Amino acid sequence: MILHKGSIFAAIAVLFFFAACQSDKKGTHAPAKPQTYSELTLGPRSATIYNDFPATIEGIEIVQLRPMVDGYLEKIFVPEGAEVKKGQLLFKIQNPVYDEAVVTAKAAIQSAQADVDAAKMNVEKVRPLVEKDIVSKYELDAAQFTLKSKEAALDQANATLRNAQTNVGYTTLRSPITGVMGSIPYKIGDLISSTTASSLTSLSRIDQVYAYFALSEKQLLNFSNRIPGATFQDKLDHLPAVSLVLADGSQYSQKGRLETASGFITTGTGTVSLKAQFINPTGLIRSGASAVVRLPRTIDTALLVPQSATYELQDKHFVYLLIDSNKVISMPILGSATNDGKYLVVSEGLKRGDKILLNGFNLRDSTEVVPRPVNADSLYGNAYPSK
């Protein structure tokens, strides 16, 4: 069969038209159906959050032990870090001058006592002579004045002995408290002076300890406005017991109470110092240790958002908020984590009655969804009761 050139071109045109129609059919898609997501309606609940503050531990009593006299360190009776009792012997300082002063003072007392005895004998000798008018009364008065002078010298000698014995007593140093021995910067044979800048050691009573920490001026004002009480001490008394987190991250078993450590704001740092007192019966916590004071705060009308329902972008938390027509928008929020880390206590961005998605990811704003409400009480459990 012979095809004309015009017929060939017509057939090719029909084929191109058919192919174009098939291509248009393949490029046409039906609209995607909205996906189903879990929806949570926010309501007020009771929750406790914690504020952590770095702290330094100090014993309830800290004593710097310094020598009262000069001399050479003769003996150290207790090693560093040992537990000591009040009155226990710790150091012995050697200084022969003080021992010789005692000997000299005792000799002076014996001499002064002899002078007193001689003066008394002279008074007793002169008195009958005056009574018999053999000598004038002047002689008796002179003898009595001499006796008083010798008695005064004896008193002075006794005082010198007591002073010398006191100095000898200073050469033995005993613990003024029951506590723990600190480091000893001196060795046996070192020259010890009462004017030396470094102390012999420090003693710390640690059956109770203080955890010192600081609040900024803003934190202090927020604290004062939030806690009831007529005075600052009243506000502290209204606070619940605080916790102590040790350096290894473990929580200390005993609870503590807040006290005022400083009554003014430090100009250089803009902070005020507070302290929490903890009992330490086992001596686990030592002076100089670092820790964290954890202050609880109970919120009766908290809005709790599960951490799993949030995502972070540029250090900000976002949730998917459900708006009209079942569409979602990304909403930035501010909040503090609960102690178990499962929820955020929202302070900004959401309000009571708002609805958020629990399992939405990578959704664009205005995306339409099919919400599936969840039971809030089942989600939060008994740990966060509704209000």
Side-chain angles (χ1 to χ4, degrees):
M1 183 173 71
I2 299 174
L3 296 176
H4 295 287
K5 192 178 291 186
S7 300
I8 294 174
F9 283 118
I12 293 174
V14 170
L15 290 175
F16 273 111
F17 176 77
F18 179 76
C21 291
Q22 293 297 322
S23 177
D24 289 342
K25 289 181 181 179
K26 291 181 180 179
T28 303
H29 295 283
K33 292 183 179 180
Q35 299 297 310
T36 301
Y37 295 94
S38 298
E39 166 206 278
L40 174 66
T41 301
L42 299 178
R45 292 185 171 270
S46 178
T48 300
I49 61 175
Y50 296 88
N51 294 319
D52 290 348
F53 299 92
T56 301
I57 304 297
E58 289 187 10
I60 195 170
E61 283 185 83
I62 297 180
V63 178
Q64 299 290 330
L65 196 63
R66 298 180 182 275
M68 297 289 291
V69 294
D70 302 340
Y72 294 94
L73 187 58
E74 182 179 357
K75 280 189 177 181
I76 301 174
F77 295 95
V78 178
E80 296 174 326
E83 295 183 1
V84 298
K85 302 293 184 181
K86 183 176 181 179
Q88 185 173 343
L89 183 61
L90 304 180
F91 300 98
K92 178 72 171 68
I93 298 174
Q94 182 187 29
N95 192 328
V97 173
Y98 300 121
D99 296 329
E100 292 300 323
V102 171
V103 175
T104 301
K106 287 180 177 179
I109 288 176
Q110 292 179 347
S111 176
Q113 184 64 56
D115 290 342
V116 169
D117 293 341
K120 285 181 178 179
M121 291 176 62
N122 190 44
V123 169
E124 294 302 322
K125 181 181 73 173
V126 172
R127 180 176 287 113
L129 296 177
V130 172
E131 292 174 351
K132 295 177 181 180
D133 291 331
I134 298 176
V135 297
S136 67
K137 189 174 180 300
Y138 173 81
E139 295 291 338
L140 179 59
D141 292 340
Q144 289 175 332
F145 289 148
T146 300
L147 175 59
K148 290 182 179 180
S149 175
K150 299 302 182 182
E151 288 175 340
L154 178 60
D155 291 340
Q156 185 175 2
N158 282 315
T160 301
L161 175 62
R162 289 193 296 270
N163 185 62
Q165 289 173 333
T166 298
N167 286 334
V168 170
Y170 287 148
T171 61
T172 56
L173 286 84
R174 299 180 180 273
S175 177
I177 61 172
T178 296
V180 176
M181 192 91 156
S183 62
I184 305 173
Y186 299 98
K187 306 300 179 184
I188 292 177
D190 286 350
L191 178 63
I192 305 299
S193 173
S194 58
T195 59
T196 303
S198 299
S199 60
L200 276 173
T201 189
S202 60
L203 296 163
S204 176
R205 177 188 159 196
I206 59 171
D207 58 323
Q208 298 183 58
V209 295
Y210 287 125
Y212 287 86
F213 64 99
L215 290 180
S216 68
E217 188 173 358
K218 182 179 179 180
Q219 290 171 328
L220 180 63
L221 290 174
N222 290 337
F223 170 84
S224 298
N225 293 333
R226 178 167 51 86
I227 305 299
T231 65
F232 189 70
Q233 187 59 50
D234 288 340
K235 296 177 184 292
L236 292 179
D237 293 339
H238 277 88
L239 283 178
V242 300
S243 302
L244 188 69
V245 180
L246 304 180
D248 62 355
S250 63
Q251 185 164 303
Y252 185 52
S253 58
Q254 304 290 340
K255 299 291 185 179
R257 302 293 303 181
L258 283 186
E259 299 180 12
T260 304
S262 174
F264 56 88
I265 296 175
T266 304
T267 305
T269 60
T271 59
V272 63
S273 181
L274 296 179
K275 62 184 179 182
Q277 183 176 350
F278 298 86
I279 63 172
N280 186 33
T282 63
L284 174 65
I285 310 175
R286 298 300 179 103
S287 288
S290 59
V292 170
V293 173
R294 178 164 288 171
L295 275 63
R297 177 188 173 190
T298 299
I299 304 174
D300 291 329
T301 57
L303 295 181
L304 298 179
V305 171
Q307 291 271 20
S308 58
T310 68
Y311 67 94
E312 290 189 39
L313 182 64
Q314 296 181 347
D315 297 330
K316 293 182 179 180
H317 287 278
F318 289 82
V319 295
Y320 289 112
L321 178 65
L322 195 64
I323 57 175
D324 295 338
S325 303
N326 290 335
K327 294 182 179 180
V328 296
I329 60 170
S330 297
M331 177 61 66
I333 61 172
L334 294 178
S336 303
T338 55
N339 189 41
D340 56 14
K342 294 181 178 180
Y343 303 95
L344 281 179
V345 180
V346 178
S347 57
E348 291 183 24
L350 296 173
K351 64 183 183 299
R352 178 176 183 174
D354 280 345
K355 299 178 180 180
I356 63 171
L357 299 187
L358 294 181
N359 58 339
F361 297 99
N362 299 322
L363 298 179
R364 294 182 178 181
D365 284 355
S366 299
T367 299
E368 186 178 352
V369 299
V370 177
R372 184 182 62 203
V374 300
N375 185 279
D377 291 333
S378 299
L379 176 69
Y380 294 113
N382 296 328
Y384 304 97
S386 60
K387 289 291 182 177

